[in-house]
């Protein structure tokens, strides 16, 4: 079942009842998983190995109506998706606060900035001011390349867009300002390795 | 409208459509607000004053059925409350990771440990291992006293319960192992002050 946000984007949350646990070992062989699933598996690996504690936040929902059937669980009968005011992932690595958003594009030559919302940029600015480790994970899915771009760099490109200039980050700019994240087996997306080296 | 979890506990999330923004200045005069609302206001104050960035996580929901009316927002038609596997609040203070759960009791002489779940204790243990600042905020609502109890202390009382001994923390134990949090106007619950002094 494909679930879509009001803006038409596909909802890929793990909140769906049929999605199961990302920790299931049978999933590891599954190629073509979503960026989000790969990140959740990586986080699970970090957790079990005592490397870091990072979780995806639940999808924010606005609840309007709830029913209470006798002798069974409360059922939400009317609710709506809300736009997140923060980023999707946060946690702790060696005492430091980590905060990031992950996005993917099928483009090969640039990364569209419309993937981010003003609220998220604002949140990342607050985090950077508090000296948190803040970044975005950008996946070029057609190229199978994943980059970690520090938030400060993203702010520059965001401001450029806000000033009426180009609405995306060129692939070359991502390469020059970001770090290629190794893709492996366990963890699938080893972003902590990049943090360890460059932050 | 009172919403209850399957276990009968009242749902006090801010996800309800009628709850409005906790940042509204008209709410500040409102006494008798919930612990959660007071904490959200405190967090909003910390955010605006660049003191810390702390948010409550959205309530986790398991979505089963979504409808897509033409020309209007997607409607969730069937969903259920899930039990949270982590704590409710996390964020960053001076680069450090902060993580906590807040609970209240009407008891005057002890704090029942049934307010916490094994999953949450496990999560707090992971956070402590990663050197995060982890604690619980315990409110004795009948006494109007709020304490910050470090996670390591909670683990001791949790283990005591697990070993078959008493199922609560006595008020005296909370006083001896925790820190009284000043209650004020802005912020209402100044837990960062306690962190600043004792962590």
């Amino acid at each position: 079942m494909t679930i879509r946000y009001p803006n038409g984007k596909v909802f890929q949350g793990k909140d769906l009842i049929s999605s199961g646990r990302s920790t299931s070992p049978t999933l590891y062989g599954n190629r073509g998983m979503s960026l989000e699933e790969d990140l959740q598996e990586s986080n699970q690996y970090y957790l079990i190995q005592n490397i870091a504690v990072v979780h995806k936040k639940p999808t924010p929902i606005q609840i309007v109506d709830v029913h209470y059937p006798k002798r069974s669980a409360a059922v939400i009968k009317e609710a709506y998706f809300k736009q997140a005011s923060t980023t999707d992932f946060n946690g702790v690595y060696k005492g430091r606060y980590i905060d990031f958003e992950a996005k993917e594009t099928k483009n090969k030559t640039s990364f569209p900035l419309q993937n981010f919302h003003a609220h998220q940029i604002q949140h990342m600015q607050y985090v950077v001011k508090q000296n948190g480790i803040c970044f975005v994970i950008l996946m070029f899915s057609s190229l199978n390349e994943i980059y970690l771009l520090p938030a400060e760099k993203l702010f520059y490109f965001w401001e450029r867009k806000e000033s009426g200039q180009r609405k995306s980050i060129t692939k070359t700019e991502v390469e020059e300002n970001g770090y290629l994240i190794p893709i492996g087996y366990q963890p699938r997306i080893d972003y902590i390795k990049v943090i360890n080296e460059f932050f």
Side-chain angles (χ1 to χ4, degrees), chain A:
Chain A
M1 175 176 60
T2 303
I3 291 180
R4 290 178 187 279
Y5 281 99
N7 64 6
K9 277 176 62 182
V10 174
F11 171 68
Q12 299 187 314
K14 302 289 287 181
D15 309 270
L16 285 165
I17 200 164
S18 59
S19 66
R21 295 248 173 135
S22 61
T23 53
S24 165
T26 57
L27 283 175
Y28 279 116
N30 183 3
R31 292 298 165 237
M33 287 196 297
S34 75
L35 174 61
E36 183 175 310
E37 285 173 319
D38 283 346
L39 283 169
Q40 301 230 58
E41 283 197 357
S42 304
N43 290 339
Q44 192 62 27
Y45 173 84
Y46 292 144
L47 185 70
I48 290 165
Q49 300 290 323
N50 286 314
I51 293 167
V53 183
V54 179
H55 289 279
K56 183 178 178 289
K57 292 185 191 173
T59 305
I61 304 284
Q62 210 159 37
I63 298 163
V64 177
D65 189 24
V66 184
H67 287 205
Y68 302 95
K70 280 182 187 164
R71 277 183 283 279
S72 60
V75 190
I76 298 163
K77 286 303 215 177
E78 186 185 354
Y80 299 89
F81 295 102
K82 285 199 293 189
Q83 195 171 81
S85 56
T86 66
T87 45
D88 267 358
F89 295 89
N90 72 1
V92 55
Y93 171 60
K94 293 183 179 171
R96 294 285 307 278
Y97 178 74
I98 292 182
D99 191 300
F100 64 95
E101 183 70 24
K103 297 289 183 190
E104 52 192 306
T105 184
K106 286 181 180 163
N107 290 12
K108 292 179 182 175
T109 55
S110 69
F111 204 96
L113 285 160
Q114 72 195 21
N115 277 307
F116 300 98
H117 309 294
H119 274 129
Q120 294 180 318
I121 302 289
Q122 165 97 76
H123 169 72
M124 289 190 251
Q125 285 167 340
Y126 282 128
V127 169
V128 166
K129 262 191 205 162
Q130 270 305 313
N131 204 22
I133 297 173
C134 193
F135 53 90
V136 288
I137 289 179
L138 306 179
M139 180 177 193
F140 291 92
S141 50
S142 306
L143 304 169
N144 209 26
E145 287 179 23
I146 303 178
Y147 291 86
L148 185 155
L149 184 72
E152 293 90 335
K153 306 287 187 176
L154 177 67
F155 300 158
Y156 168 80
F157 297 116
W158 181 263
E159 288 306 318
R160 186 173 69 181
K161 175 178 87 71
E162 293 295 286
S163 72
Q165 295 176 67
R166 65 174 299 143
K167 293 189 174 70
S168 65
I169 315 172
T170 70
K171 177 79 187 331
T172 307
E173 285 170 338
V174 172
E175 288 166 7
E176 286 173 356
N177 293 278
Y179 306 97
L180 190 67
I181 303 178
I183 301 178
Y185 186 65
Q186 269 195 332
R188 286 277 291 161
I189 302 174
D190 197 359
Y191 64 88
I192 290 286
K193 188 170 189 286
V194 173
I195 290 174
N196 215 19
E197 282 177 32
F198 299 105
F199 279 76

